[in-house]
Amino acid sequence: LLPLVWRNALRNRLRTTLTMLGIGFLIFVLVFIITALLEIQAWERVAEKTRRVVVQHSTGLSTMLPIELETYLQSEEIRRHSKHLIKFNWFGGYWKDKENWPANFAVDIEPWRQLFPDVHVPDAAFEKLRKTKAGCLVGENLMRRYGWKVDQRIVLTGTFYPANADLEIVGTLTADDVRQEEMIVFRWDYFDELMEGRKMVGTYWMQALTPDDIPKLKDLIDTRTKNSSDPTETITEKEFAAQFMQMMGNVKALVTMICSVVLVIMVVMTANTMAMSARERVTEIAVMRTLGFRSGQILFLILSEAVVVSLLAAGAALAVAFLVFNVAKLSPSSTYFPVFLLQAPAVAAGFGAALFCGLSSAAIPGIRAAPTNKGCCGQA
């Protein structure tokens, strides 16, 4: 029956083409929204695999932690459960224009390299960073995007902090996750110099020795600071990443609602096409039943036609999305989505939506066109 399905699906080429364009556009919109959600959640998925722990002020990231806390975090009591303690400040500067706002951080560079083994820095570049107080490491993707070169000087204009960072690019970094190649890392002691020695610490990061040590660290650190003037909140890196999602509200619910609306529009549009096709073929279907086609076969034909049209449209839409996002590297916003790649879950969602659309839109026309009463040949 497959050749017959193919011929019937393309019999009215203009109508089929217009239907495919409509479905393809909606699939592209659906995939775009899902890809945006996946990119927002990318850090959270990567952080889930690590044992990194973050200590922040209980009131939020806008409040600094006291430098004196570092003495306790380096004590034997904490070191029994952790290693690689670093000071970690988001600097938040932009380069030349506010549209050029890459992620940039001030860290204790020695333990940072050990704390983040998924980020790779050549030994020569790291050695140069040790010797250059105002040096920085830049992700290779960011280097290509801005056309920067090693040994070039760049100035990051401060936003959150009242200072500009005049940095020298001493080397590049790569990462297991390409999104981490969109950042700039420089020395915390240079940041402290810019802050005139005020010892401002945004967060402390460390690695728990085992998964069982994570709740112990939370209890030890937060209990000790609970009644102090600077109480802390100790969380995992995954929880740290998730709080940024919470700042944007219930994004998942919004995405689900938009995707549902898109799916309903697809089904209604395709159902209209299939209903018109079924009405035009009343005589043809009667002849097919006379020739011995069973009701189930006729229903299969009509459902298959709708599925073929929907899947072809989905394939075309996903191919365009792959070329736009993965090949041409286009992004809706280089600031908020420096990396915007079509991923397997979005592809699966696109084909799944197309399959659902084809089956649901053709169900009623198919059942009406294939009654279960006996035909003239006595076959149901």
mmCIF file of all heavy atoms in Angstrom, residues 101-144:
data_model
loop_
_atom_site.group_PDB
_atom_site.id
_atom_site.type_symbol
_atom_site.label_atom_id
_atom_site.label_comp_id
_atom_site.label_asym_id
_atom_site.label_seq_id
_atom_site.Cartn_x
_atom_site.Cartn_y
_atom_site.Cartn_z
ATOM 1 N N TRP A 101 28.796 41.161 25.772
ATOM 2 C CA TRP A 101 28.765 40.936 27.210
ATOM 3 C C TRP A 101 29.021 39.465 27.512
ATOM 4 O O TRP A 101 28.124 38.739 27.931
ATOM 5 C CB TRP A 101 27.415 41.386 27.762
ATOM 6 C CG TRP A 101 27.369 41.568 29.239
ATOM 7 C CD1 TRP A 101 28.351 42.031 30.043
ATOM 8 C CD2 TRP A 101 26.247 41.283 30.088
ATOM 9 N NE1 TRP A 101 27.930 42.068 31.353
ATOM 10 C CE2 TRP A 101 26.645 41.623 31.409
ATOM 11 C CE3 TRP A 101 24.957 40.818 29.869
ATOM 12 C CZ2 TRP A 101 25.775 41.478 32.505
ATOM 13 C CZ3 TRP A 101 24.106 40.671 30.945
ATOM 14 C CH2 TRP A 101 24.508 40.995 32.254
ATOM 15 N N PRO A 102 30.248 39.000 27.292
ATOM 16 C CA PRO A 102 30.556 37.593 27.562
ATOM 17 C C PRO A 102 30.657 37.331 29.057
ATOM 18 O O PRO A 102 30.835 38.252 29.852
ATOM 19 C CB PRO A 102 31.911 37.399 26.880
ATOM 20 C CG PRO A 102 32.561 38.748 26.970
ATOM 21 C CD PRO A 102 31.433 39.746 26.823
ATOM 22 N N ALA A 103 30.554 36.066 29.424
ATOM 23 C CA ALA A 103 30.738 35.691 30.822
ATOM 24 C C ALA A 103 32.202 35.912 31.206
ATOM 25 O O ALA A 103 33.100 35.461 30.498
ATOM 26 C CB ALA A 103 30.361 34.227 31.020
ATOM 27 N N ASN A 104 32.458 36.635 32.302
ATOM 28 C CA ASN A 104 33.836 36.885 32.733
ATOM 29 C C ASN A 104 33.924 36.801 34.247
ATOM 30 O O ASN A 104 33.101 37.368 34.962
ATOM 31 C CB ASN A 104 34.363 38.226 32.203
ATOM 32 C CG ASN A 104 33.367 39.362 32.309
ATOM 33 O OD1 ASN A 104 33.341 40.078 33.298
ATOM 34 N ND2 ASN A 104 32.536 39.540 31.287
ATOM 35 N N PHE A 105 34.940 36.062 34.710
ATOM 36 C CA PHE A 105 35.038 35.723 36.116
ATOM 37 C C PHE A 105 36.443 35.972 36.657
ATOM 38 O O PHE A 105 37.436 35.772 35.949
ATOM 39 C CB PHE A 105 34.688 34.248 36.337
ATOM 40 C CG PHE A 105 33.392 33.831 35.716
ATOM 41 C CD1 PHE A 105 33.378 33.106 34.525
ATOM 42 C CD2 PHE A 105 32.173 34.150 36.297
ATOM 43 C CE1 PHE A 105 32.190 32.705 33.941
ATOM 44 C CE2 PHE A 105 30.977 33.762 35.717
ATOM 45 C CZ PHE A 105 30.980 33.037 34.542
ATOM 46 N N ALA A 106 36.509 36.359 37.925
ATOM 47 C CA ALA A 106 37.777 36.474 38.644
ATOM 48 C C ALA A 106 37.859 35.311 39.612
ATOM 49 O O ALA A 106 36.934 35.093 40.411
ATOM 50 C CB ALA A 106 37.830 37.801 39.399
ATOM 51 N N VAL A 107 38.950 34.537 39.539
ATOM 52 C CA VAL A 107 39.069 33.314 40.345
ATOM 53 C C VAL A 107 40.489 33.172 40.886
ATOM 54 O O VAL A 107 41.423 33.819 40.403
ATOM 55 C CB VAL A 107 38.733 32.053 39.504
ATOM 56 C CG1 VAL A 107 37.325 32.138 38.934
ATOM 57 C CG2 VAL A 107 39.752 31.859 38.383
ATOM 58 N N ASP A 108 40.626 32.319 41.897
ATOM 59 C CA ASP A 108 41.955 31.892 42.345
ATOM 60 C C ASP A 108 42.442 30.853 41.338
ATOM 61 O O ASP A 108 41.923 29.730 41.294
ATOM 62 C CB ASP A 108 41.880 31.270 43.740
ATOM 63 C CG ASP A 108 41.529 32.290 44.811
ATOM 64 O OD1 ASP A 108 42.017 33.430 44.724
ATOM 65 O OD2 ASP A 108 40.761 31.955 45.732
ATOM 66 N N ILE A 109 43.407 31.209 40.534
ATOM 67 C CA ILE A 109 43.692 30.405 39.347
ATOM 68 C C ILE A 109 44.278 29.026 39.641
ATOM 69 O O ILE A 109 44.000 28.074 38.909
ATOM 70 C CB ILE A 109 44.627 31.167 38.374
ATOM 71 C CG1 ILE A 109 45.973 31.468 39.040
ATOM 72 C CG2 ILE A 109 43.950 32.415 37.859
ATOM 73 C CD1 ILE A 109 47.037 31.871 38.056
ATOM 74 N N GLU A 110 45.092 28.888 40.687
ATOM 75 C CA GLU A 110 45.738 27.590 40.939
ATOM 76 C C GLU A 110 44.715 26.501 41.238
ATOM 77 O O GLU A 110 44.646 25.492 40.523
ATOM 78 C CB GLU A 110 46.762 27.719 42.071
ATOM 79 C CG GLU A 110 47.954 28.594 41.732
ATOM 80 C CD GLU A 110 48.871 27.973 40.680
ATOM 81 O OE1 GLU A 110 48.731 26.773 40.393
ATOM 82 O OE2 GLU A 110 49.719 28.712 40.150
ATOM 83 N N PRO A 111 43.889 26.658 42.273
ATOM 84 C CA PRO A 111 42.889 25.607 42.525
ATOM 85 C C PRO A 111 41.777 25.578 41.476
ATOM 86 O O PRO A 111 41.122 24.551 41.306
ATOM 87 C CB PRO A 111 42.350 25.955 43.915
ATOM 88 C CG PRO A 111 42.635 27.404 44.089
ATOM 89 C CD PRO A 111 43.874 27.685 43.322
ATOM 90 N N TRP A 112 41.534 26.700 40.769
ATOM 91 C CA TRP A 112 40.494 26.727 39.734
ATOM 92 C C TRP A 112 40.753 25.670 38.664
ATOM 93 O O TRP A 112 39.826 24.980 38.231
ATOM 94 C CB TRP A 112 40.435 28.117 39.087
ATOM 95 C CG TRP A 112 39.587 28.165 37.855
ATOM 96 C CD1 TRP A 112 38.219 28.243 37.787
ATOM 97 C CD2 TRP A 112 40.039 28.106 36.496
ATOM 98 N NE1 TRP A 112 37.797 28.247 36.482
ATOM 99 C CE2 TRP A 112 38.896 28.163 35.666
ATOM 100 C CE3 TRP A 112 41.291 28.017 35.906
ATOM 101 C CZ2 TRP A 112 38.969 28.133 34.273
ATOM 102 C CZ3 TRP A 112 41.372 27.980 34.525
ATOM 103 C CH2 TRP A 112 40.234 28.038 33.716
ATOM 104 N N ARG A 113 41.993 25.540 38.257
ATOM 105 C CA ARG A 113 42.329 24.569 37.219
ATOM 106 C C ARG A 113 42.025 23.140 37.672
ATOM 107 O O ARG A 113 41.603 22.301 36.875
ATOM 108 C CB ARG A 113 43.803 24.708 36.843
ATOM 109 C CG ARG A 113 44.172 23.996 35.555
ATOM 110 C CD ARG A 113 45.651 24.119 35.275
ATOM 111 N NE ARG A 113 45.998 23.661 33.947
ATOM 112 C CZ ARG A 113 47.243 23.503 33.524
ATOM 113 N NH1 ARG A 113 48.260 23.770 34.339
ATOM 114 N NH2 ARG A 113 47.494 23.079 32.303
ATOM 115 N N GLN A 114 42.221 22.870 38.952
ATOM 116 C CA GLN A 114 41.951 21.535 39.484
ATOM 117 C C GLN A 114 40.463 21.330 39.752
ATOM 118 O O GLN A 114 39.949 20.219 39.611
ATOM 119 C CB GLN A 114 42.748 21.331 40.776
ATOM 120 C CG GLN A 114 44.254 21.409 40.558
ATOM 121 C CD GLN A 114 45.017 21.491 41.871
ATOM 122 O OE1 GLN A 114 44.676 22.280 42.753
ATOM 123 N NE2 GLN A 114 46.038 20.665 42.003
ATOM 124 N N LEU A 115 39.773 22.392 40.120
ATOM 125 C CA LEU A 115 38.345 22.303 40.412
ATOM 126 C C LEU A 115 37.517 22.082 39.151
ATOM 127 O O LEU A 115 36.452 21.458 39.205
ATOM 128 C CB LEU A 115 37.888 23.580 41.123
ATOM 129 C CG LEU A 115 36.419 23.648 41.554
ATOM 130 C CD1 LEU A 115 36.086 22.553 42.552
ATOM 131 C CD2 LEU A 115 36.112 25.025 42.146
ATOM 132 N N PHE A 116 38.021 22.580 38.018
ATOM 133 C CA PHE A 116 37.298 22.457 36.750
ATOM 134 C C PHE A 116 38.116 21.626 35.757
ATOM 135 O O PHE A 116 38.662 22.166 34.786
ATOM 136 C CB PHE A 116 37.002 23.839 36.161
ATOM 137 C CG PHE A 116 35.981 24.622 36.936
ATOM 138 C CD1 PHE A 116 36.351 25.421 38.005
ATOM 139 C CD2 PHE A 116 34.636 24.543 36.597
ATOM 140 C CE1 PHE A 116 35.413 26.132 38.731
ATOM 141 C CE2 PHE A 116 33.679 25.259 37.311
ATOM 142 C CZ PHE A 116 34.071 26.053 38.384
ATOM 143 N N PRO A 117 38.199 20.308 35.960
ATOM 144 C CA PRO A 117 38.967 19.468 35.033
ATOM 145 C C PRO A 117 38.327 19.357 33.656
ATOM 146 O O PRO A 117 38.971 18.923 32.698
ATOM 147 C CB PRO A 117 38.990 18.102 35.737
ATOM 148 C CG PRO A 117 37.761 18.108 36.598
ATOM 149 C CD PRO A 117 37.606 19.519 37.057
ATOM 150 N N ASP A 118 37.047 19.769 33.542
ATOM 151 C CA ASP A 118 36.373 19.752 32.250
ATOM 152 C C ASP A 118 36.734 20.962 31.392
ATOM 153 O O ASP A 118 36.306 21.062 30.239
ATOM 154 C CB ASP A 118 34.851 19.688 32.437
ATOM 155 C CG ASP A 118 34.352 20.641 33.514
ATOM 156 O OD1 ASP A 118 35.135 21.053 34.378
ATOM 157 O OD2 ASP A 118 33.145 20.968 33.506
ATOM 158 N N VAL A 119 37.523 21.889 31.954
ATOM 159 C CA VAL A 119 38.056 23.025 31.200
ATOM 160 C C VAL A 119 39.558 22.803 31.014
ATOM 161 O O VAL A 119 40.266 22.524 31.978
ATOM 162 C CB VAL A 119 37.803 24.355 31.935
ATOM 163 C CG1 VAL A 119 38.407 25.523 31.160
ATOM 164 C CG2 VAL A 119 36.307 24.581 32.147
ATOM 165 N N HIS A 120 40.029 22.928 29.782
ATOM 166 C CA HIS A 120 41.407 22.552 29.469
ATOM 167 C C HIS A 120 42.226 23.779 29.055
ATOM 168 O O HIS A 120 41.829 24.530 28.153
ATOM 169 C CB HIS A 120 41.422 21.507 28.346
ATOM 170 C CG HIS A 120 40.438 20.388 28.586
ATOM 171 N ND1 HIS A 120 40.587 19.478 29.600
ATOM 172 C CD2 HIS A 120 39.275 20.068 27.948
ATOM 173 C CE1 HIS A 120 39.578 18.619 29.572
ATOM 174 N NE2 HIS A 120 38.757 18.967 28.600
ATOM 175 N N VAL A 121 43.366 23.961 29.733
ATOM 176 C CA VAL A 121 44.256 25.086 29.466
ATOM 177 C C VAL A 121 45.655 24.540 29.191
ATOM 178 O O VAL A 121 46.172 23.750 29.998
ATOM 179 C CB VAL A 121 44.311 26.055 30.664
ATOM 180 C CG1 VAL A 121 45.224 27.240 30.346
ATOM 181 C CG2 VAL A 121 42.912 26.532 31.043
ATOM 182 N N PRO A 122 46.293 24.910 28.094
ATOM 183 C CA PRO A 122 47.673 24.463 27.843
ATOM 184 C C PRO A 122 48.608 24.914 28.961
ATOM 185 O O PRO A 122 48.432 26.002 29.529
ATOM 186 C CB PRO A 122 48.020 25.142 26.508
ATOM 187 C CG PRO A 122 46.700 25.426 25.862
ATOM 188 C CD PRO A 122 45.759 25.718 26.989
ATOM 189 N N ASP A 123 49.581 24.085 29.269
ATOM 190 C CA ASP A 123 50.512 24.404 30.361
ATOM 191 C C ASP A 123 51.231 25.730 30.140
ATOM 192 O O ASP A 123 51.434 26.511 31.081
ATOM 193 C CB ASP A 123 51.543 23.279 30.512
ATOM 194 C CG ASP A 123 50.912 21.997 31.040
ATOM 195 O OD1 ASP A 123 49.832 22.081 31.656
ATOM 196 O OD2 ASP A 123 51.503 20.911 30.829
ATOM 197 N N ALA A 124 51.622 26.005 28.894
ATOM 198 C CA ALA A 124 52.358 27.244 28.607
ATOM 199 C C ALA A 124 51.483 28.470 28.888
ATOM 200 O O ALA A 124 51.950 29.469 29.451
ATOM 201 C CB ALA A 124 52.819 27.251 27.147
ATOM 202 N N ALA A 125 50.201 28.388 28.503
ATOM 203 C CA ALA A 125 49.290 29.509 28.743
ATOM 204 C C ALA A 125 49.053 29.704 30.238
ATOM 205 O O ALA A 125 49.013 30.841 30.729
ATOM 206 C CB ALA A 125 47.976 29.271 28.014
ATOM 207 N N PHE A 126 48.919 28.594 30.960
ATOM 208 C CA PHE A 126 48.679 28.710 32.404
ATOM 209 C C PHE A 126 49.904 29.284 33.119
ATOM 210 O O PHE A 126 49.772 30.081 34.051
ATOM 211 C CB PHE A 126 48.298 27.347 32.982
ATOM 212 C CG PHE A 126 47.628 27.438 34.315
ATOM 213 C CD1 PHE A 126 46.301 27.803 34.420
ATOM 214 C CD2 PHE A 126 48.333 27.180 35.478
ATOM 215 C CE1 PHE A 126 45.674 27.903 35.651
ATOM 216 C CE2 PHE A 126 47.728 27.275 36.717
ATOM 217 C CZ PHE A 126 46.387 27.640 36.809
ATOM 218 N N GLU A 127 51.080 28.871 32.675
ATOM 219 C CA GLU A 127 52.308 29.397 33.266
ATOM 220 C C GLU A 127 52.419 30.902 33.021
ATOM 221 O O GLU A 127 52.846 31.676 33.899
ATOM 222 C CB GLU A 127 53.511 28.667 32.687
ATOM 223 C CG GLU A 127 54.837 29.046 33.313
ATOM 224 C CD GLU A 127 54.899 28.753 34.799
ATOM 225 O OE1 GLU A 127 54.275 27.766 35.249
ATOM 226 O OE2 GLU A 127 55.570 29.530 35.533
ATOM 227 N N LYS A 128 52.015 31.332 31.847
ATOM 228 C CA LYS A 128 52.051 32.765 31.534
ATOM 229 C C LYS A 128 51.041 33.533 32.384
ATOM 230 O O LYS A 128 51.294 34.671 32.795
ATOM 231 C CB LYS A 128 51.775 32.976 30.044
ATOM 232 C CG LYS A 128 52.044 34.403 29.577
ATOM 233 C CD LYS A 128 51.934 34.511 28.067
ATOM 234 C CE LYS A 128 52.226 35.935 27.606
ATOM 235 N NZ LYS A 128 52.102 36.062 26.120
ATOM 236 N N LEU A 129 49.906 32.886 32.665
ATOM 237 C CA LEU A 129 48.911 33.530 33.521
ATOM 238 C C LEU A 129 49.445 33.695 34.936
ATOM 239 O O LEU A 129 49.172 34.702 35.600
ATOM 240 C CB LEU A 129 47.623 32.688 33.534
ATOM 241 C CG LEU A 129 46.448 33.236 34.354
ATOM 242 C CD1 LEU A 129 45.989 34.583 33.798
ATOM 243 C CD2 LEU A 129 45.288 32.242 34.366
ATOM 244 N N ARG A 130 50.211 32.717 35.413
ATOM 245 C CA ARG A 130 50.830 32.831 36.735
ATOM 246 C C ARG A 130 51.727 34.065 36.834
ATOM 247 O O ARG A 130 51.806 34.720 37.870
ATOM 248 C CB ARG A 130 51.677 31.594 37.017
ATOM 249 C CG ARG A 130 50.914 30.345 37.400
ATOM 250 C CD ARG A 130 51.881 29.336 37.995
ATOM 251 N NE ARG A 130 51.226 28.079 38.309
ATOM 252 C CZ ARG A 130 51.366 26.965 37.603
ATOM 253 N NH1 ARG A 130 52.126 26.964 36.519
ATOM 254 N NH2 ARG A 130 50.766 25.860 37.967
ATOM 255 N N LYS A 131 52.419 34.385 35.729
ATOM 256 C CA LYS A 131 53.397 35.473 35.737
ATOM 257 C C LYS A 131 52.785 36.829 35.382
ATOM 258 O O LYS A 131 53.437 37.862 35.551
ATOM 259 C CB LYS A 131 54.517 35.161 34.744
ATOM 260 C CG LYS A 131 55.308 33.897 35.090
ATOM 261 C CD LYS A 131 56.324 33.580 34.009
ATOM 262 C CE LYS A 131 57.104 32.310 34.323
ATOM 263 N NZ LYS A 131 58.073 31.974 33.236
ATOM 264 N N THR A 132 51.573 36.836 34.864
ATOM 265 C CA THR A 132 50.952 38.082 34.396
ATOM 266 C C THR A 132 49.737 38.384 35.257
ATOM 267 O O THR A 132 48.685 37.751 35.109
ATOM 268 C CB THR A 132 50.525 37.960 32.912
ATOM 269 O OG1 THR A 132 51.621 37.463 32.144
ATOM 270 C CG2 THR A 132 50.067 39.300 32.374
ATOM 271 N N LYS A 133 49.875 39.345 36.140
ATOM 272 C CA LYS A 133 48.789 39.618 37.089
ATOM 273 C C LYS A 133 47.510 40.054 36.382
ATOM 274 O O LYS A 133 46.402 39.682 36.788
ATOM 275 C CB LYS A 133 49.229 40.701 38.084
ATOM 276 C CG LYS A 133 48.298 40.842 39.269
ATOM 277 C CD LYS A 133 48.887 41.744 40.334
ATOM 278 C CE LYS A 133 48.040 41.731 41.596
ATOM 279 N NZ LYS A 133 48.598 42.593 42.648
ATOM 280 N N ALA A 134 47.631 40.831 35.328
ATOM 281 C CA ALA A 134 46.458 41.296 34.583
ATOM 282 C C ALA A 134 46.185 40.407 33.369
ATOM 283 O O ALA A 134 45.532 40.826 32.421
ATOM 284 C CB ALA A 134 46.645 42.737 34.139
ATOM 285 N N GLY A 135 46.660 39.167 33.425
ATOM 286 C CA GLY A 135 46.437 38.246 32.318
ATOM 287 C C GLY A 135 45.060 37.602 32.404
ATOM 288 O O GLY A 135 44.400 37.614 33.444
ATOM 289 N N CYS A 136 44.625 37.013 31.294
ATOM 290 C CA CYS A 136 43.343 36.316 31.277
ATOM 291 C C CYS A 136 43.382 35.188 30.257
ATOM 292 O O CYS A 136 44.194 35.193 29.325
ATOM 293 C CB CYS A 136 42.191 37.273 30.965
ATOM 294 S SG CYS A 136 42.171 37.894 29.255
ATOM 295 N N LEU A 137 42.505 34.223 30.462
ATOM 296 C CA LEU A 137 42.299 33.125 29.523
ATOM 297 C C LEU A 137 40.934 33.312 28.879
ATOM 298 O O LEU A 137 39.959 33.655 29.563
ATOM 299 C CB LEU A 137 42.354 31.777 30.246
ATOM 300 C CG LEU A 137 43.671 31.432 30.951
ATOM 301 C CD1 LEU A 137 43.483 30.206 31.835
ATOM 302 C CD2 LEU A 137 44.782 31.196 29.933
ATOM 303 N N VAL A 138 40.861 33.064 27.579
ATOM 304 C CA VAL A 138 39.627 33.286 26.836
ATOM 305 C C VAL A 138 39.252 32.006 26.103
ATOM 306 O O VAL A 138 40.104 31.349 25.503
ATOM 307 C CB VAL A 138 39.777 34.452 25.831
ATOM 308 C CG1 VAL A 138 38.467 34.668 25.073
ATOM 309 C CG2 VAL A 138 40.196 35.723 26.555
ATOM 310 N N GLY A 139 37.970 31.648 26.143
ATOM 311 C CA GLY A 139 37.485 30.485 25.407
ATOM 312 C C GLY A 139 37.694 30.641 23.914
ATOM 313 O O GLY A 139 37.568 31.742 23.371
ATOM 314 N N GLU A 140 38.008 29.528 23.255
ATOM 315 C CA GLU A 140 38.336 29.594 21.823
ATOM 316 C C GLU A 140 37.159 30.092 20.984
ATOM 317 O O GLU A 140 37.354 30.814 20.004
ATOM 318 C CB GLU A 140 38.813 28.230 21.337
ATOM 319 C CG GLU A 140 40.196 27.861 21.865
ATOM 320 C CD GLU A 140 40.814 26.704 21.118
ATOM 321 O OE1 GLU A 140 40.118 26.082 20.282
ATOM 322 O OE2 GLU A 140 42.010 26.419 21.359
ATOM 323 N N ASN A 141 35.931 29.719 21.339
ATOM 324 C CA ASN A 141 34.767 30.215 20.594
ATOM 325 C C ASN A 141 34.663 31.729 20.690
ATOM 326 O O ASN A 141 34.355 32.420 19.707
ATOM 327 C CB ASN A 141 33.481 29.578 21.127
ATOM 328 C CG ASN A 141 33.235 28.200 20.549
ATOM 329 O OD1 ASN A 141 33.999 27.731 19.707
ATOM 330 N ND2 ASN A 141 32.184 27.553 20.989
ATOM 331 N N LEU A 142 34.927 32.248 21.879
ATOM 332 C CA LEU A 142 34.859 33.696 22.082
ATOM 333 C C LEU A 142 35.965 34.404 21.308
ATOM 334 O O LEU A 142 35.752 35.493 20.749
ATOM 335 C CB LEU A 142 34.972 34.002 23.577
ATOM 336 C CG LEU A 142 34.466 35.361 24.059
ATOM 337 C CD1 LEU A 142 32.990 35.523 23.745
ATOM 338 C CD2 LEU A 142 34.707 35.504 25.556
ATOM 339 N N MET A 143 37.141 33.804 21.257
ATOM 340 C CA MET A 143 38.253 34.375 20.484
ATOM 341 C C MET A 143 37.866 34.511 19.019
ATOM 342 O O MET A 143 38.104 35.550 18.391
ATOM 343 C CB MET A 143 39.491 33.482 20.623
ATOM 344 C CG MET A 143 40.098 33.433 22.003
ATOM 345 S SD MET A 143 41.070 34.896 22.430
ATOM 346 C CE MET A 143 42.591 34.569 21.526
ATOM 347 N N ARG A 144 37.250 33.469 18.484
ATOM 348 C CA ARG A 144 36.852 33.509 17.063
ATOM 349 C C ARG A 144 35.747 34.532 16.829
ATOM 350 O O ARG A 144 35.761 35.249 15.827
ATOM 351 C CB ARG A 144 36.388 32.116 16.615
ATOM 352 C CG ARG A 144 37.525 31.111 16.436
ATOM 353 C CD ARG A 144 37.037 29.864 15.742
ATOM 354 N NE ARG A 144 36.112 29.116 16.579
ATOM 355 C CZ ARG A 144 36.465 28.135 17.406
ATOM 356 N NH1 ARG A 144 37.752 27.801 17.506
ATOM 357 N NH2 ARG A 144 35.576 27.494 18.123
#
